[in-house]
Amino acid sequence: MVQVDTTDTIFIKLLIERLSWPVKLARWRAARGVRELLHSDRWHDETTALLLEWIETRQFESEVETALSVLLVTDASKRPSFDEVVERIQLSSFLSDLLLERMYGPGFIHAGWKWDAADPPTEFVPDRYFVSHKTQDVPRILSMHFERLEEKHGAPFMRQWAFEWKRVQERSSAPYSDYPYYFGDASLARVGLHPQCMTQQSEVLRSAYQRTLGHAVVFWGMPLRDATFYVTHTLLVLPGLFEVDPTGAPAWLGTFATDCCNEQADLECLAKAAIAASNGAGEGSLLSVTVPTPREIAEFGEVSLRSFFVSDDFQHRAGVVLPEVKEFVIPDAFGLIGDIRPLDTADWKSAAQAGSVIPATFKALPALLGTWHDEYFSSGLRVPCSYCFNGPTKLDADRGGLKVLRAGSVVARTTFWQDAWTPINLPIGGTRVGVATYISPEELTAALAKMELKLAWEVRITIYDPETNWDKLGKKERSAFFLQSE
């Protein structure tokens, strides 16, 4: 391995250290930068040496996973050898073995986690800090998994997680979590708004979660397939989605969001003008767009414009919630790409309204997730529904955003942009990420003819007042529903 000159490689070291930065989007961007250096002829050897050194000096199993996640999305020819990686891993886990197998093939594992498993002593009592923070510093889904496993199998998953947390905590002496002042506004904490940061306690809890699943395999006979399902909820990266670059806000939006926030605005008129502008921008036919409210008007809020297919006899009634679809996409392999499954349009003939209203888009839920991409997941991976296309389709991604493929051709695309972005978000929504979904005009025309339906739109403005609790008095909404002009 090349001898590293610290003077020449200081910036590479700084970039690698950003893989531990508390902001998830920053980690994602740092990982993109490290991979670019690994792919380069000039910096490959130095970057490989420094990344392997970083693996060897980690305090947490989850940090080892961070480095392996970068290697996972790196070209195989540019990765260090299996032996070079494994000899540097001091803290292995069930998840790190999963990543190693994905990179190097079946049987290429470390397995050190199997020899570090231990039962808690009889007198062990979960620490009060663990009890109060196990849903604060990591997603609630991890606790839910262990609670359900306990109910189903009777094994003490939660107690073991608490014990593993104590072991990792004592080994690392990680600081207890406090409000992340550098990344948020402490005044907003009083109304329940916190930046979504990956603290060191997040590393402790996720490492302990992975160790608990390893313990379940070794001592309780948990099938490897089941453990694999649960451990993937701590994956950091989703191949495919990792490639997406944020774009600028579409030029055709202009002052659309600002104008809609005017309480006297004619929402239908503004929306029709925006739709016309988008369709003349060369991106395809617009199906949906969500824009964060201008920050000078409201930091927390959005302006959304969504399309629907409606029957001739459809009559919209005020106050009736229009359908929203969330649908799993099952990947073909370890990544994002997978089939867009057919949906049954018969489910949306509403008794509350005359006629039928069918959503044109859905929020894709990849069966595999990736913590670094949380801001995009929470804002919505919105793509056209299956019946918008004349044949089977697949969801994939590239630098330009999400893409829908039919017979190998791109027939729809979803783009993302960051608008005065911060890591602070409402508990029920995403951060300030904009999302726009387009479809090929030919596909849209064919879908309307095939279903014998018309295109309709809902424009909705939602604003939260930070002076009040987000879930009580602070929400203001206005909306309009209209048919698209012929």
Side-chain angles (χ1 to χ4, degrees), residues 97 101 150 289 341 370 396 403 405 407 462 473:
D97 274 2
E101 279 202 306
E150 283 196 0
V289 64
R341 298 191 295 178
D396 201 359
K403 58 182 180 181
L405 302 171
T462 306
L473 302 177

Side-chain angles (χ1 to χ4, degrees), residues 255-275 303-305 457-461 478-483:
T255 60
F256 172 66
T258 300
D259 295 341
C260 284
C261 290
N262 185 331
E263 292 188 2
Q264 283 73 48
D266 184 334
L267 297 182
E268 179 177 338
C269 181
L270 291 172
K272 286 181 176 179
I275 294 166
V303 178
S304 66
L305 183 56
W457 295 85
E458 181 194 56
V459 55
R460 180 175 295 274
I461 296 88
R478 291 189 303 120
S479 65
F481 185 89
F482 59 92
L483 289 175

Side-chain angles (χ1 to χ4, degrees), residues 5-73:
D5 184 335
T6 303
T7 304
D8 292 340
T9 58
I10 184 64
F11 293 111
I12 301 177
K13 285 187 175 183
L14 289 172
L15 183 61
I16 292 174
E17 285 301 326
R18 281 294 184 267
L19 296 173
S20 292
W21 199 248
V23 178
K24 289 173 282 189
L25 270 179
R27 294 192 184 197
W28 182 2
R29 301 310 300 174
R32 287 282 297 271
V34 173
R35 186 184 66 170
E36 185 175 341
L37 293 176
L38 289 170
H39 284 173
S40 73
D41 293 334
R42 169 67 181 87
W43 297 107
H44 171 268
D45 290 349
E46 290 89 340
T47 306
T48 300
L50 289 170
L51 188 61
L52 290 174
E53 178 183 308
W54 196 78
I55 291 174
E56 189 171 21
T57 57
R58 293 308 88 201
Q59 299 185 79
F60 309 107
E61 288 83 350
S62 61
E63 288 184 309
V64 174
E65 177 207 338
T66 296
L68 295 181
S69 295
V70 177
L71 295 178
L72 177 69
V73 292

Side-chain angles (χ1 to χ4, degrees), residues 215-378:
H215 182 94
V217 170
V218 174
F219 282 93
W220 304 337
M222 186 178 195
L224 283 172
R225 181 172 180 172
D226 293 351
T228 297
F229 168 78
Y230 291 108
V231 82
T232 55
H233 281 80
T234 56
L235 280 172
L236 296 173
V237 63
L238 183 60
L241 192 59
F242 179 80
E243 308 303 331
V244 172
D245 279 330
T247 66
W252 58 261
L253 274 174
T255 60
F256 172 66
T258 300
D259 295 341
C260 284
C261 290
N262 185 331
E263 292 188 2
Q264 283 73 48
D266 184 334
L267 297 182
E268 179 177 338
C269 181
L270 291 172
K272 286 181 176 179
I275 294 166
S278 72
N279 291 337
E283 297 283 353
S285 294
L286 181 71
L287 286 185
S288 173
V289 64
T290 300
V291 190
T293 50
R295 200 169 183 184
E296 63 272 15
I297 295 175
E299 181 173 1
F300 305 104
E302 65 180 29
V303 178
S304 66
L305 183 56
R306 287 200 297 146
S307 59
F308 298 84
F309 300 124
V310 299
S311 58
D312 287 333
D313 59 344
F314 177 74
Q315 296 178 11
H316 178 60
R317 296 179 182 173
V320 175
V321 178
L322 294 169
E324 172 71 288
V325 180
K326 297 180 181 180
E327 179 74 12
F328 279 103
V329 175
I330 308 301
D332 294 344
F334 197 82
L336 172 67
I337 186 169
D339 295 330
I340 295 179
R341 298 191 295 178
L343 296 172
D344 186 358
T345 59
D347 293 342
W348 291 301
K349 185 173 179 60
S350 173
Q353 306 174 89
S356 300
V357 55
I358 302 172
T361 59
F362 75 100
K363 287 187 176 180
L365 302 174
L368 295 175
L369 300 176
T371 301
W372 289 343
H373 318 311
D374 277 353
E375 315 305 340
Y376 287 15
F377 288 135
S378 58

Side-chain angles (χ1 to χ4, degrees), residues 113-319:
W113 54 273
K114 293 183 178 180
W115 323 124
D116 192 32
D119 285 319
T122 304
E123 68 277 8
F124 173 74
V125 176
D127 190 281
R128 289 174 60 187
Y129 182 89
F130 168 83
V131 173
S132 63
H133 283 72
K134 67 180 185 294
T135 58
Q136 179 174 312
D137 290 290
V138 291
R140 175 77 175 89
I141 189 66
L142 304 189
S143 295
M144 292 172 64
H145 283 329
F146 281 168
E147 289 165 359
R148 290 168 180 166
L149 285 169
E150 283 196 0
E151 292 177 4
K152 184 176 181 180
H153 302 289
F157 281 87
M158 293 299 293
R159 186 169 186 267
Q160 188 67 35
W161 190 17
F163 177 62
E164 299 294 354
W165 174 85
K166 182 178 180 181
R167 295 176 74 190
V168 177
Q169 179 64 26
E170 290 178 346
R171 180 187 72 204
S172 64
S173 299
Y176 294 123
S177 297
D178 197 354
Y179 187 86
Y181 295 98
Y182 288 108
F183 305 103
D185 181 347
S187 66
L188 294 175
R190 294 194 296 269
V191 293
L193 300 177
H194 301 268
Q196 302 303 302
C197 294
M198 297 183 73
T199 64
Q200 284 204 33
Q201 279 301 316
S202 170
E203 306 287 0
V204 176
L205 284 160
R206 286 185 294 118
S207 297
Y209 176 87
Q210 296 168 15
R211 291 170 62 92
T212 301
L213 288 168
H215 182 94
V217 170
V218 174
F219 282 93
W220 304 337
M222 186 178 195
L224 283 172
R225 181 172 180 172
D226 293 351
T228 297
F229 168 78
Y230 291 108
V231 82
T232 55
H233 281 80
T234 56
L235 280 172
L236 296 173
V237 63
L238 183 60
L241 192 59
F242 179 80
E243 308 303 331
V244 172
D245 279 330
T247 66
W252 58 261
L253 274 174
T255 60
F256 172 66
T258 300
D259 295 341
C260 284
C261 290
N262 185 331
E263 292 188 2
Q264 283 73 48
D266 184 334
L267 297 182
E268 179 177 338
C269 181
L270 291 172
K272 286 181 176 179
I275 294 166
S278 72
N279 291 337
E283 297 283 353
S285 294
L286 181 71
L287 286 185
S288 173
V289 64
T290 300
V291 190
T293 50
R295 200 169 183 184
E296 63 272 15
I297 295 175
E299 181 173 1
F300 305 104
E302 65 180 29
V303 178
S304 66
L305 183 56
R306 287 200 297 146
S307 59
F308 298 84
F309 300 124
V310 299
S311 58
D312 287 333
D313 59 344
F314 177 74
Q315 296 178 11
H316 178 60
R317 296 179 182 173

